[in-house]
Amino acid sequence: MTTLPKTMQAVIAREPGDAGVLALAERPVPEPTAGEVLLRVSAAGINRPDIMQRQGIAKPPPGVTDVLGLEVCGEVVACGPGVDRALLGQRLMALVPGGGYAPWCAAPVDHAFVVPAGLSDVDAAALPEGLFTVWHNLFELGRLTMGETLLLHGAAGGIGTLAIQLAHAAGATVLATASDETRFAELRKMGAEKTICWRSTDFVQAVLDHTGGRGADVVLDVVGGDYVRRNLQALAFGGRHVSLSFMQGSAVNVELLTLMQKQLSLHSSTMRPQSHAEKARMARCIARQVLPLLRSGRVRPRIHGTFGLDEAAAAHSALESGKVFGKLVLVPQ
């Protein structure tokens, strides 16, 4: 029987603000409730929704801890009621409603996966939020299928590098935009057929040129603002526009005539407010469709770097700098 401490040092935001408001604070070690496991956290992924929580834009759902962190990898050290105790000692990666920036974290067992052999703890911790986000937005809302063309913005980020690989594995053509051309060779190795520097190239014209004037079937956008209008110009007839974020602003002007004439559709979602049952449904789909790609090594997260829990502020600052290629991960000491 593992003896656990009553309290732990975990990362919270003392108040809404910049990265400097992050600090270690004493919090109780969670007790797993029905359907949950308690993980000894070996690594925790860092995501932009964490930054939005720190800034006060996105608040934890009612009843959820103020400890940041939405994805973890760790060893099961305790099982809540109704959970098979055969999981004790297993290494799981999990999507969690909060609490990941900590040495221990409670995780819903039906939002978790046994870590495929060959994946390190850091690799595994970098995956759950991206797997759920890409699966739901790209393949369920965007309905991307074999033979179609995807225009992907923010291709060098954690979501982008994963989306390239999954779209390529699904038989789609990927056109990827990014700002740093030194990353283009690696993005093409991941599966991007064409890389576009948005600083120096009109991405709309580049997409139309590459597709013989037809346009992309799906756009996965993290920019918002004026990009939405331009994305619609780059979409093919019947195309689907999926918004994941809005780094240039959430207020956009959309020309309805363009939507109607081209029969375009607009989609968006955020993962955290999804119901427990809906996330469990997605997890079952991911287990069937995506985990085999992880087991075979065909899909891998790109890790930019790791930080200790006491370096969470530096990690957030790094992510906000726009210079991160892939994912950042916290490693409790």
Side-chain angles (χ1 to χ4, degrees):
M1 174 69 93
T2 301
T3 302
L4 299 173
K6 298 294 185 183
T7 63
M8 61 184 181
Q9 293 291 304
V11 179
I12 64 162
R14 296 189 304 269
E15 60 189 10
D18 62 19
V21 304
L22 295 180
L24 288 172
E26 186 173 335
R27 290 293 182 268
V29 171
E31 293 187 12
T33 60
E36 291 184 335
V37 293
L38 180 65
L39 299 178
R40 179 183 288 113
V41 177
S42 52
I46 300 174
N47 295 281
R48 290 201 174 272
D50 302 339
I51 291 174
M52 295 175 70
Q53 177 175 334
R54 187 204 75 213
Q55 294 170 332
I57 298 171
K59 299 184 183 300
V64 172
T65 175
D66 62 344
V67 176
L68 278 73
L70 301 175
E71 59 182 353
V72 294
C73 172
E75 178 192 351
V76 178
V77 295
C79 297
V83 176
D84 186 353
R85 291 179 60 81
L87 285 174
L88 287 170
Q90 290 274 2
R91 204 166 52 116
L92 300 187
M93 55 185 188
L95 182 74
V96 295
Y101 292 13
W104 287 272
C105 179
V109 72
D110 50 2
H111 302 168
F113 313 97
V114 175
V115 177
L119 275 185
S120 70
D121 292 346
V122 168
D123 284 345
L127 283 167
E129 175 74 11
L131 291 178
F132 279 81
T133 297
V134 174
W135 175 261
H136 181 56
N137 287 279
L138 189 55
F139 296 107
E140 295 186 337
L141 298 183
R143 307 190 310 279
L144 183 71
T145 60
M146 180 182 295
E148 291 193 316
T149 298
L150 167 68
L151 170 59
L152 173 66
H153 295 301
I159 294 293
T161 50
L162 190 58
I164 289 174
Q165 297 175 73
L166 292 176
H168 178 67
T173 297
V174 182
L175 314 180
T177 73
S179 61
D180 187 347
E181 295 188 48
T182 63
R183 300 170 175 177
F184 283 6
E186 189 168 348
L187 293 176
R188 288 192 290 269
K189 287 182 181 178
M190 292 178 188
E193 181 171 295
K194 182 175 180 59
T195 45
I196 303 165
C197 180
W198 57 262
R199 293 185 186 277
S200 58
T201 304
D202 178 355
F203 73 78
V204 175
Q205 192 59 51
V207 169
L208 295 175
D209 289 345
H210 193 80
T211 59
R214 180 179 179 276
D217 298 286
V218 180
V219 173
L220 199 60
D221 181 56
V222 296
V223 183
D226 187 56
Y227 260 50
V228 175
R229 177 185 58 82
R230 298 170 67 195
N231 290 337
L232 299 184
Q233 295 172 357
L235 276 170
F237 186 87
R240 290 84 70 193
H241 185 287
V242 185
S243 297
L244 295 183
S245 188
F246 41 85
M247 290 187 288
Q248 287 189 3
S250 60
V252 300
N253 290 318
V254 174
E255 176 54 62
L256 291 178
L257 184 60
T258 301
L259 295 180
M260 296 166 70
Q261 289 179 332
K262 296 174 70 175
Q263 294 189 24
L264 306 179
S265 58
L266 303 179
H267 305 270
S268 64
S269 76
T270 55
M271 190 54 56
R272 203 173 192 182
Q274 301 277 351
S275 71
H276 183 103
E278 181 63 4
K279 291 177 186 174
R281 181 197 63 78
M282 293 180 205
R284 292 192 294 271
C285 294
I286 292 166
R288 288 194 305 269
Q289 303 293 332
V290 181
L291 288 193
L293 298 172
L294 295 172
R295 295 188 188 103
S296 70
R298 190 171 179 185
V299 172
R300 280 287 188 273
R302 189 191 194 281
I303 306 301
H304 182 94
T306 60
F307 293 79
L309 280 184
D310 58 350
E311 300 173 310
H316 273 221
S317 294
L319 185 57
E320 290 177 286
S321 74
K323 297 178 181 179
V324 172
F325 186 8
K327 289 279 291 195
L328 297 177
V329 176
L330 293 180
V331 179
Q333 298 172 353

